[in-house]
Amino acid sequence: DPEDGQVYESVHDFAMRNRLPVFRSTGRNPDLHRRIEQIDPDLIWTADYRYLLPQGVIDLASDACINLHPSLLPAYRGRAPLNWAILNGEREVGLTAHLIDEGVDTGAVLCQKRIPMSPSEDVGDVLRRLEPIYESITREVIQGLESGDLVPVPQPEGDWPTWPRRTPGDGCIDWNRSSDEIVNLIRAVADPYPGARTRLGDSEILVWKATALPDLESNHVPGSVLSVADRGFMVQAGSGQVEVTSCSPPDLIERIKVGDRFVHDVNGM
């Protein structure tokens, strides 16, 4: 995905390999309306689909038009909800099945599953835990539609923000921030995303795992390497310190030395 850098398995390619009908389209492509109208569907179902559907397409489903959104709506409407939730230090995430309307993830909620998230988990860990929930919530909602027991619950009123898309450049580490903020960024853009970026001299470094030590203070310049050990190295943050335990290139831990200084890569490259 050129927008956020994540490498996805192609649904289009999967369908082609398995000889399933497939059509790649934005939500407002006139051909999409025409093709769905020809199918005359009972149900339209989307999952993590980034485009808004016009009301004309929504109305083509005789029973319901439903989306799966990986957040606890109404929180984190919009793009990259898991990344934003981790970046903001949330301790709970989830998956919501909701009716699609013309708003951005504003339709009535049909079902919602919550999962706690520890400070040591990154976005890859959360994605692996969410994956089986996509299947289970799908079965639960379809069974509820068939039985008639599913009751749509309107989302609460309020000033709920719509979060913007993220790009690989948003993963640049600003060592002037607190150790908690830095580690949350590292967790939010870990594998399968592009990783948190910083620079040491002319080399770009990708940080994959780290631990925040917010109670350790010193008068060192943010970005300075304070100590090096077998398991990683300690870097001064704007407040607190960050212990980096996984990075690329992998031999950096063997080459880095006390006194080296990482800098904020303002270009994101």
Side-chain angles (χ1 to χ4, degrees):
D1 185 342
E3 288 196 2
D4 59 24
Q6 184 180 5
V7 178
Y8 297 92
E9 180 181 0
S10 171
V11 175
H12 178 272
D13 293 349
F14 174 87
M16 293 293 288
R17 288 195 305 271
N18 290 276
R19 299 180 180 180
L20 298 172
V22 63
F23 175 60
R24 182 180 283 150
S25 173
T26 62
R28 299 192 181 276
N29 184 340
D31 281 346
L32 179 66
H33 186 286
R34 178 177 58 82
R35 286 172 179 257
I36 293 179
E37 188 174 33
Q38 290 173 346
I39 295 170
D40 189 24
D42 299 316
L43 178 66
I44 294 176
W45 191 279
T46 68
D48 300 351
Y49 187 60
R50 69 177 50 164
Y51 302 107
L52 294 177
L53 294 178
Q55 191 64 48
V57 171
I58 296 170
D59 292 340
L60 292 175
S62 58
D63 289 343
C65 189
I66 297 172
N67 178 54
L68 297 183
H69 183 75
S71 84
L72 297 172
L73 290 176
Y76 296 101
R77 292 170 175 164
R79 307 290 279 275
L82 286 177
N83 310 84
W84 284 117
I86 296 172
L87 190 67
N88 291 333
E90 303 288 358
R91 294 297 182 89
E92 187 179 48
V93 292
L95 185 63
T96 301
H98 67 95
L99 294 175
I100 297 176
D101 58 20
E102 287 194 289
V104 180
D105 304 315
T106 53
V109 172
L110 300 172
C111 187
Q112 193 170 79
K113 303 295 183 182
R114 298 173 176 267
I115 60 171
M117 179 173 56
S118 77
S120 64
E121 288 184 293
D122 60 35
V123 66
D125 299 321
V126 175
L127 285 169
R128 284 186 286 275
R129 293 177 62 196
L130 274 178
E131 184 175 352
I133 299 177
Y134 274 84
E135 179 180 353
S136 62
I137 200 172
T138 297
R139 293 182 182 279
E140 184 173 338
V141 169
I142 290 177
Q143 289 170 359
L145 288 172
E146 291 175 337
S147 66
D149 294 333
L150 207 58
V151 179
V153 178
Q155 294 187 36
E157 299 289 336
D159 187 19
W160 299 97
T162 298
W163 293 82
R165 71 184 182 94
R166 293 183 59 80
T167 67
D170 294 327
C172 298
I173 299 173
D174 181 356
W175 294 101
N176 292 298
R177 292 188 175 274
S178 71
S179 57
D180 282 330
E181 290 175 303
I182 291 170
V183 169
N184 284 342
L185 171 64
I186 293 167
R187 295 169 55 226
V189 296
D191 185 65
Y193 289 85
R197 300 161 180 257
T198 187
R199 296 198 76 85
L200 182 61
D202 295 331
S203 301
E204 181 185 75
I205 310 299
L206 297 177
V207 180
W208 300 107
K209 286 192 177 296
T211 302
L213 302 170
D215 298 328
L216 296 181
E217 300 295 341
S218 77
N219 58 1
H220 289 85
V221 176
S224 300
V225 177
L226 306 181
S227 62
V228 180
D230 290 340
R231 62 170 290 169
F233 50 88
M234 196 80 67
V235 184
Q236 180 64 43
S239 62
Q241 296 170 6
V242 175
E243 183 183 26
V244 176
T245 54
S246 177
C247 61
S248 299
D251 64 345
L252 178 69
I253 294 177
E254 300 173 4
R255 294 189 285 111
I256 200 166
K257 59 185 183 298
V258 172
D260 284 343
R261 186 184 173 203
F262 294 102
V263 295
H264 181 203
D265 183 1
V266 294
N267 295 317
M269 300 296 293

